[in-house]
Amino acid sequence: MSPIRLISVSRSAALAALFVAVAVCQTAALGQGPPADPAQVAETKAHYTKYEYKIPMRDGVRLFTSVYVPKDQTQKYPILITRTPYSVRPYGEDQYRARLGQSPRYDKSGYIFVFQDVRGCHNSEGKFVNIRPYVPNKKGKEFDESSDTYDTIDWLVKHIPNNNGNVGLMGISYPGFYSTCGLLDTHPALKAVSPQAPVTDWFIGDDYHHNGAFILADSVSFLEFFDRPQRGPAANRRMPTRRDNTHPDAYSYYLTLGPLNVLADRQARGGTGFLKDLTEHPNYDDWWKARDILQYLKHVRPAVMTVGGWYDCEDLWGAIQVYQHIEHQSPETTNRLVMGPWIHGGWARGDGSKLGDVNFNDKTADFYSEHIEFPFFEYYLKGKGKADQTEAWVFETGTNVWRSHATWPPKGVTPKSFYFQEGGKLTEAPPAAAPHNSDKESDEYVSDPAHPVPYIERITNTVARDYMTADQRFASRRGDVLTYQTPVLEEDLTIAGPIQANLIVSTSGTDSDWVVKLIDVYPNDYPDPEPNPTRASMGGYQQLIRVEMMRGKFRDSYEKPEPFAPNKPTPVKFALNDVLHTFRSGHRLMVQVQSSYFPVIDRNPQVFTDIYSAKESDYHKATERLYHTKEQPSNISVLVVPAGG
């Protein structure tokens, strides 16, 4: 079957940001951002001709594809593809994107830019499936996202004139998932792939769950406008407004939202029902396992550069896991990792010089674009420049400097444990033996689902993008948050890689969530770089470095949850996502432990049940205890980088 060519004509130029209009974040990518700059659109038309096609897949379904071809025909160009569920808008023979590339450097160098609506979205045919499972050993007309990528590349290299036969694939967030899919059963022309903030496993660590705990506000907010039919002709329509945006206080909005299963039923009536599917699979069953793409990242042939942000509250886990799984399952692959001080997709918008109250003293996004991403595609798609031998480009927060490492985590790191002690102390020495005394064996607090611990101090109508660096002094003052800190550090302490929480806890209920936060406490006399009465003073600032949570019933198995025996000390161990951070001399290291983090995660009824079906009457207060004795030494373990390492 021959493709239907829909349009041609036009041009382009100032290629500014390949993903700002595609999927720099879930909201902007859905068309909720500002209108395109007419001057940029005119510049794009001046240098590029736009074509639209419906490219046939092996099963006959046709995928809508926009292709922007350089007008200059004096040389051949590589093809750079982004596949997205967020629409390749604008549609129409003379409707152009203002921006095609990640930076103007792409324009000066020249690429054939391709944007494709994935199967079942907008102007593409077929049925859309969230995180469509991969089909190994496909036969006949069997398809998945990897085969759709293969078929697209095969058609493009055969039908788009003046291409040099080399193809690159990139995307942020959900398009990052489609980029990862392209690494499986790859077309020979695919030479370089960059999954950026890639969606991977939605039960373990990305978007919808963290260690089984449901990510409430972001999930419900996103699905309010994404989880509904997205068939064309979509033209250039804007997506519906998220309901939480119309409420001034997200905390109270989600507190009164009602049972999740009722909300899921309501959304299913007007959409594709993914929230309904999610609530019907409360444990890590075969439905979830089939959607884990990480297990298939073997014998990867293209060069890979995975990109993530240290402060990405959506898909930080996915970036690290894609890199690690390729590293372990496909050791022959040219595989590298880039981690900067960014929120979700932050390297593709803004300059990355600060987040909230925290300054990084560097235009980190500009450095990444100029020195890391652009040279990667230039080398592997055009043979220009030299191959970057750096395995991991990582930004070290605290000192605010880029580091290059031959491995990640870096070689030479050594484990160090910090133990919780009586009186809110955090020490390198484990607890000493003490007389049996329940007041000294543990610290306790009452967790009340009716009054969960907020994730941030200020009132917001959505989840604040800067909460992963936010001041934690408000939480330190709450009676339902345990706080431990070291003495003032006499020298810099740099930690790299994952963090391990090793808790011994008990609950008066039969289930509880355990939230652990690693915090950098600034000296009281720390100078304010930007004195402003509307922002927090940096003197005594308690900067969040990393936070993670574990739904207690999944402590031993995501597949077979188990209740707690009431008031029985029980080990709960889980990893916090990787960091690269230096606690400067004069600072303190702090750890906070709590049992709610609202509305980032949903409330736990604190009884063993299917939370997705829980009624309001099922929610109860519980007394939570954290033990810190010689026999029950709760601690947090980090990997320390040697001085000068």
Side-chain angles (χ1 to χ4, degrees):
M1 178 186 296
S2 62
I4 298 176
R5 176 175 156 189
L6 299 175
I7 68 172
S8 58
V9 319
S10 286
R11 325 160 184 198
S12 125
L15 316 181
L18 177 56
F19 304 113
V20 173
V22 186
V24 296
C25 71
Q26 292 169 330
T27 302
L30 281 156
Q32 305 289 46
D37 182 348
Q40 288 183 328
V41 172
E43 184 73 5
T44 301
K45 287 185 175 183
H47 293 84
Y48 278 77
T49 301
K50 179 183 178 182
Y51 301 87
E52 291 185 351
Y53 302 96
K54 283 195 171 181
I55 298 178
M57 302 294 102
R58 61 190 61 183
D59 64 334
V61 165
R62 298 173 301 172
L63 303 188
F64 186 92
T65 308
S66 294
V67 181
Y68 294 78
V69 179
K71 285 179 171 289
D72 178 9
Q73 299 291 298
T74 62
Q75 58 179 303
K76 294 184 181 297
Y77 300 94
I79 298 171
L80 194 53
I81 303 173
T82 296
R83 305 185 66 242
T84 178
Y86 296 135
S87 168
V88 302
R89 65 171 58 86
Y91 301 98
E93 65 177 11
D94 199 34
Q95 301 299 311
Y96 276 66
R97 288 172 173 262
R99 299 169 173 178
L100 300 177
Q102 177 81 3
S103 77
R105 299 177 188 88
Y106 287 90
D107 177 34
K108 295 176 183 178
S109 183
Y111 286 83
I112 297 169
F113 291 95
V114 175
F115 304 93
Q116 184 176 77
D117 286 335
V118 297
R119 183 180 291 255
C121 282
H122 304 286
N123 280 352
S124 283
E125 299 172 355
K127 179 182 178 181
F128 176 72
V129 174
N130 268 298
I131 310 297
R132 187 186 301 276
Y134 171 66
V135 181
N137 305 313
K138 288 177 282 294
K139 299 178 181 178
K141 295 183 179 181
E142 285 186 306
F143 65 88
D144 54 21
E145 300 302 342
S146 71
S147 69
D148 282 357
T149 305
Y150 186 103
D151 294 348
T152 297
I153 293 173
D154 195 61
W155 187 91
L156 289 169
V157 296
K158 292 176 180 177
H159 292 85
I160 301 300
N162 235 38
N163 77 80
N164 71 358
N166 293 333
V167 177
L169 184 63
M170 60 195 307
I172 297 175
S173 190
Y174 219 143
F177 164 76
Y178 295 111
S179 298
T180 307
C181 291
L183 295 171
L184 312 178
D185 305 330
T186 51
H187 192 282
L190 185 60
K191 299 298 195 299
V193 178
S194 183
Q196 303 187 1
V199 168
T200 52
D201 191 314
W202 273 350
F203 192 89
I204 306 300
D206 280 332
D207 288 305
Y208 291 104
H209 296 88
H210 282 211
N211 295 315
F214 180 58
I215 304 299
L216 176 65
D218 271 347
S219 300
V220 172
S221 174
F222 176 60
L223 291 174
E224 283 281 2
F225 58 84
F226 182 75
D227 193 24
R228 60 187 64 199
Q230 300 176 58
R231 298 292 181 87
N236 303 314
R237 73 184 184 207
R238 295 175 66 81
M239 301 301 292
T241 301
R242 299 181 306 187
R243 294 180 184 175
D244 61 348
N245 275 341
T246 66
H247 196 287
D249 182 359
Y251 183 94
S252 62
Y253 172 80
Y254 286 103
L255 198 60
T256 58
L257 199 59
L260 190 61
N261 60 330
V262 174
L263 177 65
D265 287 338
R266 186 179 76 212
Q267 286 196 0
R269 288 193 293 271
T272 59
F274 184 73
L275 185 57
K276 179 74 171 174
D277 292 338
L278 184 150
T279 61
E280 292 174 349
H281 298 276
N283 305 328
Y284 197 57
D285 58 13
D286 289 342
W287 189 85
W288 285 113
K289 292 176 184 178
R291 285 161 171 76
D292 173 19
I293 195 172
L294 297 170
Q295 61 188 306
Y296 300 112
L297 293 174
K298 303 173 183 178
H299 309 298
V300 173
R301 293 195 295 270
V304 184
M305 182 178 71
T306 305
V307 182
W310 289 134
Y311 305 119
D312 183 349
C313 61
E314 298 172 47
D315 298 304
L316 165 59
W317 188 84
I320 295 169
Q321 293 301 315
V322 166
Y323 166 78
Q324 293 288 6
H325 278 74
I326 294 175
E327 195 70 7
H328 295 145
Q329 298 174 167
S330 187
E332 71 282 1
T333 301
T334 298
N335 182 39
R336 64 188 60 172
L337 176 70
V338 182
M339 297 296 298
W342 305 308
I343 60 171
H344 192 60
W347 53 94
R349 65 190 190 279
D351 62 14
S353 61
K354 66 176 298 183
L355 179 59
D357 297 323
V358 179
N359 283 285
F360 305 121
N361 305 322
D362 179 46
K363 293 183 178 180
T364 61
D366 293 350
F367 177 89
Y368 159 74
S369 176
E370 179 178 355
H371 298 287
I372 303 174
E373 184 192 271
F374 180 68
F376 173 78
F377 284 110
E378 286 285 285
Y379 178 78
Y380 287 103
L381 300 185
K382 296 183 178 181
K384 292 185 176 181
K386 297 181 180 179
D388 185 356
Q389 300 300 320
T390 301
E391 175 84 6
W393 277 105
V394 282
F395 189 83
E396 184 178 292
T397 54
T399 53
N400 295 331
V401 62
W402 282 100
R403 304 289 189 190
S404 58
H405 291 288
T407 63
W408 184 259
K411 293 181 179 179
V413 293
T414 57
K416 180 189 291 287
S417 295
F418 290 91
Y419 294 88
F420 304 115
Q421 302 274 15
E422 180 186 2
K425 297 177 182 178
L426 190 65
T427 67
E428 296 181 36
H436 183 75
N437 183 323
S438 60
D439 291 337
K440 294 185 177 181
E441 287 180 341
S442 64
D443 293 317
E444 69 177 49
Y445 57 93
V446 175
S447 175
D448 184 357
H451 302 283
V453 180
Y455 75 102
I456 201 168
E457 183 173 26
R458 69 181 187 271
I459 303 299
T460 62
N461 69 337
T462 58
V463 174
R465 295 298 94 182
D466 62 343
Y467 84 80
M468 290 182 71
T469 61
D471 190 1
Q472 301 300 303
R473 280 177 285 196
F474 80 97
S476 297
R477 302 183 185 114
R478 289 184 60 111
D480 51 359
V481 176
L482 299 180
T483 299
Y484 304 87
Q485 63 179 334
T486 65
V488 172
L489 298 175
E490 296 182 356
E491 57 186 23
D492 287 1
L493 172 68
T494 301
I495 64 173
I499 301 159
Q500 182 71 25
N502 303 299
L503 310 182
I504 300 175
V505 296
S506 69
T507 176
S508 61
T510 51
D511 188 20
S512 280
D513 291 339
W514 303 98
V515 180
V516 173
K517 297 185 289 189
L518 180 67
I519 297 162
D520 186 340
V521 183
Y522 291 35
N524 289 331
D525 60 355
Y526 192 89
D528 246 344
E530 301 175 7
N532 187 329
T534 64
R535 62 185 289 281
S537 167
M538 299 305 286
Y541 198 88
Q542 296 178 4
Q543 181 193 338
L544 183 62
I545 303 301
R546 184 61 72 235
V547 58
E548 194 55 87
M549 57 286 302
M550 166 61 75
R551 182 135 288 170
K553 64 182 180 181
F554 295 118
R555 63 195 180 277
D556 293 325
S557 171
Y558 295 117
E559 301 158 310
K560 298 178 180 179
E562 295 181 5
F564 285 82
N567 300 312
K568 178 182 178 181
T570 305
V572 174
K573 299 181 179 182
F574 58 97
L576 285 69
N577 279 317
D578 294 30
V579 300
L580 179 59
H581 182 77
T582 295
F583 296 84
R584 305 305 300 270
S585 60
H587 290 226
R588 297 173 186 259
L589 188 151
M590 175 183 284
V591 177
Q592 291 180 349
V593 180
Q594 56 202 61
S595 290
S596 54
Y597 199 55
F598 194 78
V600 170
I601 61 172
D602 65 329
R603 298 174 299 146
N604 192 319
Q606 301 179 152
V607 295
F608 184 74
T609 186
D610 175 6
I611 297 177
Y612 296 143
S613 300
K615 302 178 179 63
E616 197 62 38
S617 58
D618 295 327
Y619 289 75
H620 299 280
K621 295 180 182 179
T623 299
E624 321 287 21
R625 291 187 175 88
L626 175 72
Y627 294 84
H628 45 68
T629 65
K630 182 178 181 180
E631 293 75 22
Q632 298 166 327
S634 296
N635 65 87
I636 188 166
S637 179
V638 299
L639 298 174
V640 176
V641 179

